[in-house]
Amino acid sequence: MRRDRDVREFPPARKKEAGLAAVSRLPRFEQCLYSIWGNCRKTRVVQPNAVEESRAPRPRVGLFITCLVDLVRPQVGFAAVKLLEQAGCDVEVPAQTCCGQPAWNSGADKYAADLARQVIAAFEPFDYVVAPSGSCAGMIKLHYPEVLANDARWLPRARALAAKTHELISFLVNVRGMKGVDAHCAARTCYHDSCSSLREMRVREQPRELLASVDGLSLSELKEPEVCCGFGGLFSVKYPEISERMADDKIADAQATCAEMMVGGDLGCLLHLKGRMQRKGVNMRVRHVAEVLAGMAGEPALGET
Amino acid sequence: MSAREDILAAIRARRAKAVAAPPSYCAPAPPDSVQAFVEHATRANAEVRLIANETEIPQAVAELLRARNLPAIVHVPPNASNLPWNSAPGLMRERAAPGPEDAAVAIAPFGIGETGTLAYPSATDAPASWHFRAGFEIAVIRAEDILMRMEDVIARLKATALPPTLNFVTGPSRTGDIEQTLELGAHGPKVLAILIIQD
Amino acid sequence: MTLDPRAFREAGRAALHDPSLRIALGRLKTHFALGRARAVERYGDWEALREQGRAIRDYALAHLDTLLEEFERNVVARGGQVHWARDAKEAREIVLRILREAGAKSVTKGKSMVSEEIALNPYLDANGVEPVETDLGEYIVQLRREPPSHIIAPAFHLNKEDVAKTFREAHTALDPDRPLVERTELVAEARALLRARFESADAGITGANFLTAEEGAAVLVTNEGNGDLTRLLPKTHIVLTGLEKVVANLEHAAVLLRLLTRSATGQDISSYVTVMNGPRAPDESDGPQNFHVVLVDNGRTRLLGTDAEEVLRCIRCAACLNHCPIYAAVGGHTYGATYTGPIGAALNPGLMGVGVAHRHPNASTFCGRCAEVCPVKIPLPTIMRHWRAREYASGLAPKSMTAGLGAWAFFAKRPALYRFAAGIVACALKFLARNGRVHSLPLLHNWFLVRDFPAPQGKTFHALWTARQ
Ligand code: SF4
């Protein structure tokens, strides 16, 4: 379905511009539209199938704000909104609290089931559920059907929700066909793969692909990107000493790349790693990858004032 | 109830689901089993030599011993006693079981190309313990007896009867138990040489 | 050294500060993990092989009763005997009875985790039979009176200097001034001493990697050849093994073998694979005259039909240990149990009871690497989670955690209230933060033990979003 010419000339489809987008098939308007677009947006998404998308209805995305993003770093949520809108989605944020993973991973199955039902009811109406976290998305996608395995009424609903749930960055790339972003961030950067993103949600190349398009950013790989950082939710407080050792190994790996900044897709890992860096006096900026992709790298990084 | 009945009853009481027999499986295989055998046996630290026919065995054995500065003595199991040993005059033969520093000959009825493995069914004239007693095993195998997979060897043996002991041997004895670093000759042979008869 | 699975955290703390253990554990990556990756790469369609392995083990577990009966019939038909042990005590007694009947005073042993599981050696010692471990690693830890620290590499936690010291202390009949520095010297010394023990042993005990029903055979995988000398030289050979090791036939075992050696040591096949099919034939000059198989249950059948059932597929390759960041941090002895790492965390609560081993399934971040490398696709984190649920349901979880979860769930189930509370927490944390971080807080002692908490932005997303709409 991809068109051969330079898709950068197309603005992303948005509601207001739906009419304009239809016109945009005429080549002579392209330059003109491009300049209008360039003037009104600081960040512009590059979307290969903008033309087709513009004819299709805009998907409604229910944004799952993780409890850590809500509490600690709302900016990640706004970055996600921005990126999703750039990708031609209508974003809504229904009433929500937490996906229930802390309960599920602790074996508190009843709490987990209560919360799963709550999330399913809130997010069912949407075309997609997207979370800026592989961990929470993985909980909904892979574990809700386990949580509700013995609930005949809710199991089909859990499965249906699982089928349309995505981690943010892989959603942008795999579902919305995003190829790059128009953002600037001059920093030598390393990427931290969270285990749930990597192994549960199959997120690996997508963030690297988008980061490669960030102006000024150079990405260096960790030596052991597939090794866990030691966060593991409540593990970090059940076995703090082991968690500490794992964090130190990860931080040493990151330092060896000479990166000034670490980005990742899961705020849990990042809080744990940044917290450990602060305790050790390691100077490295830490950010959620969505912030960088949404052009918000100018804002203070995690734990900066 | 006896332990046996108890255990079987517990299994029957708990067995939940029906599971179908697994489909048949065929491991990927390279085109030529002899070539694969040489490659894999060499990787497993065996020394492989190709010889033209049976009459070259005694000479090859004598050379292998000489190359290692070992005395020209080789332990020969009953099933190898009919080889044309006289063609290597200086080579002494022993019929007793080999000790940990001795060299011994072994006839391998089958080989496995997939892994460079020798297959030794135990028999009256082929005692199994020799493969582990000797310090230096010199195996003899015909190229035509090198099959591709372990399953092929099992099928051949099952056509008659499985022996009490069936040894699959790949390379010399080894251990990684100290610092996970390879050392050859933990209990069994320190050296394994394989003569492949090509005719 | 005493084994106490309840003391995981305390033992782990000590292990984390053991510099020589740290050196040893570094070899997980450089030796085991790398070797496996290369072997998998060489193989070709590894995923198809794993799927076949899973299917073979699932088939065997679903037909466990009939396969065990078939196995027994065929062992007996070939002149061997099969014994069934419900638990560790029965297993020990059966072994001792066989040894007594054989008049055995000393018994050589191939490495067997089931022997560790049922604590056979101290029992034999106490009953006048001397057990001699012959696998080099197992021999070393036996001399040191330690349990193995790794399921395929018992002396994994040691460096060669430790081994040299152990040998000097144990082998007092040898020249005290002999050179004993290089690994080759250590291996040669053990080889010479143990050969004499093989020759004089009255009986041999090995484990089995697989039992095959159709042939009535036990399949043994080793690299050293010690298992074979243990079987072939003494008069009596006892195979001591878990009853779940049975598969339908040798062909199935051959498939599992491909998975086992590559996953374990990165070898395409081990130096020795032995199909042990009853006692020697009447006209054979070597091999055991008596052949016994002891099938040990010890909690295994209890797992059938439960959410933890899949753990019985395990072929004990240790790939999960070798890729486990927790094992890599604390080593095997921390677990205080025979089975360590992810397989220990998934199996021990089943064998030892949740009340005894509940620390093990909690010692995981659920990073999932173990399940990814497991050659028979055991969903190890899922099973660990199952044990956590059992722990929680039986009230064994720490009170602070259950209370915390209860309070958290109370709010999480009430979105409006949750938002209100979250708003206060976000604001309070920001207020408490200095230089971009919170340094400590009551109640969250364990978080702040090792790290700070980066300062939040001060308002919740939901508050800002509502304001924006
Ligand atoms: S659980 Fe899997 S990876 Fe671990 S030892 Fe068993 S078979 Fe190997």
Side-chain angles (χ1 to χ4, degrees):
Chain A
M1 297 299 276
R2 247 198 93 174
R3 302 182 50 142
D4 285 332
R5 56 210 164 115
D6 185 2
V7 290
R8 278 175 181 270
E9 292 165 49
F10 289 100
R14 308 196 70 224
K15 236 186 211 162
K16 282 181 230 152
E17 286 134 16
L20 285 178
V23 188
S24 73
R25 270 171 293 150
L26 300 170
R28 58 168 127 165
F29 287 115
E30 288 175 357
Q31 285 301 318
C32 171
L33 285 168
Y34 176 71
S35 66
I36 295 171
W37 180 248
N39 289 337
C40 67
R41 301 290 294 177
K42 266 191 241 151
T43 307
R44 177 175 50 86
V45 69
V46 181
Q47 205 186 319
N49 48 356
V51 175
E52 284 87 350
E53 285 300 332
S54 68
R55 276 183 260 139
R58 294 166 58 85
R60 281 177 73 212
V61 168
L63 179 60
F64 187 88
I65 293 296
T66 78
C67 51
L68 289 175
V69 166
D70 180 48
L71 191 71
V72 182
R73 202 149 173 88
Q75 183 174 310
V76 175
F78 288 106
V81 172
K82 192 168 168 188
L83 288 166
L84 286 166
E85 286 182 347
Q86 285 170 0
C89 305
D90 284 339
V91 182
E92 291 174 51
V93 183
Q96 54 184 286
T97 61
C98 169
C99 66
Q101 191 180 114
W104 179 243
N105 283 355
S106 303
D109 295 4
K110 201 185 150 306
Y111 296 151
D114 289 344
L115 287 171
R117 289 189 199 98
Q118 185 173 299
V119 170
I120 292 168
F123 282 87
E124 273 178 326
F126 296 95
D127 298 327
Y128 297 104
V129 182
V130 175
S133 154
S135 171
C136 308
M139 179 66 196
I140 300 173
K141 194 174 188 67
L142 298 170
H143 302 300
Y144 276 11
E146 295 170 13
V147 173
L148 298 168
N150 298 321
D151 186 334
R153 223 156 48 84
W154 282 85
L155 182 59
R157 295 171 72 177
R159 290 211 178 110
L161 194 76
K164 55 186 180 185
T165 298
H166 299 267
E167 181 276 339
L168 173 68
I169 310 299
S170 54
F171 177 76
L172 294 173
V173 172
N174 300 354
V175 181
R176 302 304 295 165
M178 195 183 260
K179 293 282 175 208
V181 292
D182 188 8
H184 174 82
C185 176
R188 200 180 159 91
T189 304
C190 64
Y191 184 81
H192 168 59
D193 291 280
S194 79
C195 297
S196 41
S197 288
L198 192 62
R199 280 180 272 268
E200 294 196 328
M201 301 305 287
R202 308 269 156 218
V203 181
R204 188 189 194 103
E205 303 312 327
Q206 302 92 327
R208 289 171 171 81
E209 210 176 300
L210 295 189
L211 283 170
S213 72
V214 172
D215 177 37
L217 185 145
S218 72
L219 194 65
S220 32
E221 287 293 331
L222 298 181
K223 239 168 89 193
E224 297 187 307
E226 71 291 341
V227 173
C228 177
C229 70
F231 172 58
L234 290 178
F235 173 84
S236 62
V237 291
K238 282 189 221 167
Y239 293 109
E241 298 88 357
I242 303 174
S243 175
E244 170 192 12
R245 166 64 52 78
M246 292 164 72
D248 285 353
D249 288 349
K250 183 61 78 181
I251 292 168
D253 194 351
Q255 285 181 300
T257 66
C258 299
E260 311 150 66
M261 177 169 80
M262 171 191 277
V263 297
D266 273 89
L267 199 55
C269 310
L270 299 178
L271 284 168
H272 155 75
L273 289 171
K274 180 65 191 181
R276 181 65 192 155
M277 289 179 194
Q278 288 176 322
R279 181 63 61 92
K280 282 167 65 112
V282 171
N283 247 327
M284 186 180 293
R285 271 174 287 147
V286 176
R287 282 182 190 284
H288 193 285
V289 63
E291 301 173 32
V292 176
L293 297 178
M296 295 178 174
E299 310 282 326
L302 206 55
E304 279 178 8
T305 42
Chain B
M1 269 202 289
S2 72
R4 180 182 186 281
E5 300 315 314
D6 247 9
I7 290 168
L8 288 172
I11 295 171
R12 284 179 188 129
R14 289 168 176 279
R15 195 180 44 195
K17 49 179 191 264
V19 173
S24 69
Y25 178 82
C26 199
D32 181 61
S33 64
V34 176
Q35 201 187 323
F37 180 92
V38 174
E39 188 187 309
H40 283 100
T42 308
R43 199 211 311 272
N45 309 85
E47 180 181 335
V48 183
R49 286 204 190 181
L50 300 173
I51 57 175
N53 53 49
E54 255 189 11
T55 56
E56 292 181 18
I57 294 172
Q59 264 312 322
V61 169
E63 275 166 32
L64 284 166
L65 294 173
R66 222 174 11 251
R68 287 182 174 70
N69 278 329
L70 292 170
I73 307 170
V74 67
H75 291 250
V76 178
N79 70 342
S81 60
N82 293 336
L83 294 174
W85 289 109
N86 294 334
S87 62
L91 188 63
M92 298 232 307
R93 277 164 287 144
E94 285 275 2
R95 288 206 287 189
E101 306 303 324
D102 298 337
V105 173
I107 310 275
F110 300 107
I112 301 172
E114 186 189 347
T115 46
T117 301
L118 302 157
Y120 298 113
S122 70
T124 314
D125 58 358
S129 69
W130 283 39
H131 308 302
F132 306 94
R133 289 178 187 268
F136 181 10
E137 178 165 271
I138 302 166
V140 179
I141 184 166
R142 295 184 178 280
E144 68 200 42
D145 293 332
I146 297 177
L147 312 180
M148 189 51 82
R149 304 180 183 83
M150 183 175 281
E151 286 88 336
D152 304 330
V153 174
I154 294 169
R156 290 277 184 100
L157 289 170
K158 278 188 172 176
T160 51
L162 282 176
T165 302
L166 169 59
N167 292 111
F168 292 103
V169 174
T170 313
S173 157
R174 69 194 60 217
T175 183
D177 272 355
I178 303 177
E179 299 186 335
Q180 275 35 72
T181 305
L182 179 70
E183 288 290 329
L184 298 180
H187 289 287
K190 298 169 198 170
V191 184
L192 175 69
I194 303 173
L195 305 177
I196 302 179
I197 304 171
Q198 285 179 300
D199 69 349
Chain C
M1 179 176 275
T2 51
L3 293 179
D4 185 3
R6 294 181 190 84
F8 185 92
R9 189 172 165 200
E10 297 68 29
R13 257 188 228 139
L16 283 166
H17 294 108
D18 179 341
S20 99
L21 180 62
R22 184 106 171 112
I23 296 172
L25 289 169
R27 290 192 279 267
L28 284 176
K29 279 170 195 154
T30 50
H31 291 64
F32 281 136
L34 199 66
R36 175 198 169 271
R38 288 195 185 128
V40 165
E41 181 78 32
R42 279 199 298 274
Y43 186 74
D45 198 347
W46 180 250
E47 284 310 307
L49 182 63
R50 276 178 95 206
E51 180 50 30
Q52 185 72 11
R54 183 204 60 73
I56 284 172
R57 290 297 296 135
D58 272 352
Y59 177 82
L61 293 173
H63 299 84
L64 194 54
D65 53 343
T66 49
L67 290 179
L68 285 171
E69 287 174 315
E70 185 186 355
F71 172 76
E72 180 184 46
R73 259 198 319 280
N74 289 319
V75 171
V76 171
R78 297 191 65 108
Q81 289 180 52
V82 175
H83 311 261
W84 305 66
R86 274 172 287 222
D87 53 26
K89 180 168 170 286
E90 260 181 22
R92 288 190 296 259
E93 288 165 0
I94 291 167
V95 172
L96 182 66
R97 200 180 64 232
I98 300 168
L99 292 174
R100 289 242 164 100
E101 279 164 17
K105 285 270 160 289
S106 92
V107 53
T108 44
K109 294 183 69 202
K111 195 176 87 64
S112 152
M113 292 314 283
V114 173
S115 163
E116 299 291 335
E117 177 187 330
I118 65 167
L120 182 62
N121 286 359
Y123 179 79
L124 293 182
D125 260 331
N127 285 283
V129 182
E130 187 196 5
V132 182
E133 294 291 349
T134 61
D135 170 85
L136 180 58
E138 196 77 38
Y139 175 67
I140 294 166
V141 296
Q142 188 189 25
L143 292 180
R144 294 170 63 91
R145 298 177 197 291
E146 283 175 354
S149 64
H150 186 284
I151 63 173
I152 66 161
F156 187 77
H157 56 294
L158 300 173
N159 299 308
K160 66 178 185 219
E161 296 74 22
D162 306 310
V163 179
K165 187 163 171 283
T166 303
F167 279 9
R168 282 197 193 284
E169 283 166 12
H171 303 160
T172 46
L174 299 178
D175 174 11
D177 296 327
R178 67 195 184 281
L180 204 53
V181 178
E182 300 304 324
R183 281 181 292 268
T184 315
E185 291 161 347
L186 295 163
V187 173
E189 182 163 314
R191 175 188 170 98
L193 284 166
L194 285 169
R195 183 60 70 95
R197 306 306 301 260
F198 283 123
E199 299 284 357
S200 63
D202 307 306
I205 300 175
T206 67
N209 295 85
F210 312 108
L211 306 173
T212 72
E214 191 183 311
E215 300 81 9
V219 179
L220 185 66
V221 175
T222 74
N223 269 325
E224 299 182 1
N226 65 311
D228 293 279
L229 290 168
T230 301
R231 163 176 167 83
L232 294 168
L233 301 197
K235 263 188 167 160
T236 299
H237 176 206
I238 303 172
V239 175
L240 175 67
T241 185
L243 51 72
E244 86 285 11
K245 290 280 170 71
V246 73
V247 294
N249 51 42
L250 260 181
E251 288 79 359
H252 281 187
V255 172
L256 295 173
L257 183 65
R258 291 188 178 91
L259 289 164
L260 174 61
T261 58
R262 288 178 175 87
S263 301
T265 53
Q267 291 170 279
D268 295 339
I269 192 170
S270 56
S271 294
Y272 304 115
V273 175
T274 306
V275 181
M276 309 181 295
N277 219 347
R280 71 161 83 159
D283 55 354
E284 276 189 302
S285 63
D286 66 3
Q289 288 159 23
N290 310 302
F291 180 70
H292 298 266
V293 181
V294 182
L295 299 172
V296 181
D297 183 346
N298 204 28
R300 288 165 172 76
T301 55
R302 221 169 35 221
L303 294 171
L304 289 170
T306 71
D307 285 348
E309 173 182 51
E310 286 166 287
V311 77
L312 296 174
R313 287 208 290 261
C314 176
I315 56 173
R316 304 283 191 271
C317 71
C320 56
L321 280 72
N322 297 340
H323 292 79
C324 176
I326 313 296
Y327 183 93
V330 299
H333 285 158
T334 294
Y335 288 79
T338 301
Y339 305 104
T340 55
I343 178 59
L347 183 62
N348 295 340
L351 299 187
M352 310 169 96
V354 181
V356 177
H358 62 116
R359 303 261 188 269
H360 296 164
N362 278 291
S364 166
T365 60
F366 288 172
C367 80
R369 261 190 115 191
C370 50
E372 196 174 62
V373 296
C374 175
V376 285
K377 295 188 169 181
I378 300 174
L380 292 152
T382 307
I383 295 172
M384 292 180 218
R385 203 214 68 82
H386 160 77
W387 294 122
R388 292 185 191 182
R390 292 280 301 276
E391 175 198 30
Y392 194 91
S394 5
L396 291 160
K399 290 288 160 288
S400 55
M401 193 184 87
T402 49
L405 276 174
W408 165 83
F410 177 83
F411 285 98
K413 286 193 259 182
R414 292 165 179 79
L417 189 61
Y418 180 90
R419 262 181 222 190
F420 177 71
I424 295 175
V425 173
C427 176
L429 282 175
K430 179 164 168 129
F431 178 75
L432 290 169
R434 295 285 173 273
N435 299 324
R437 60 189 163 155
V438 181
H439 193 69
S440 74
L441 275 185
L443 292 176
L444 282 170
H445 171 260
N446 278 357
W447 176 278
F448 291 100
L449 193 62
V450 298
R451 42 181 121 59
D452 294 333
F453 192 85
Q457 289 183 305
K459 291 219 169 75
T460 65
F461 177 86
H462 290 293
L464 293 167
W465 179 256
T466 315
R468 195 179 106 162
Q469 292 301 303

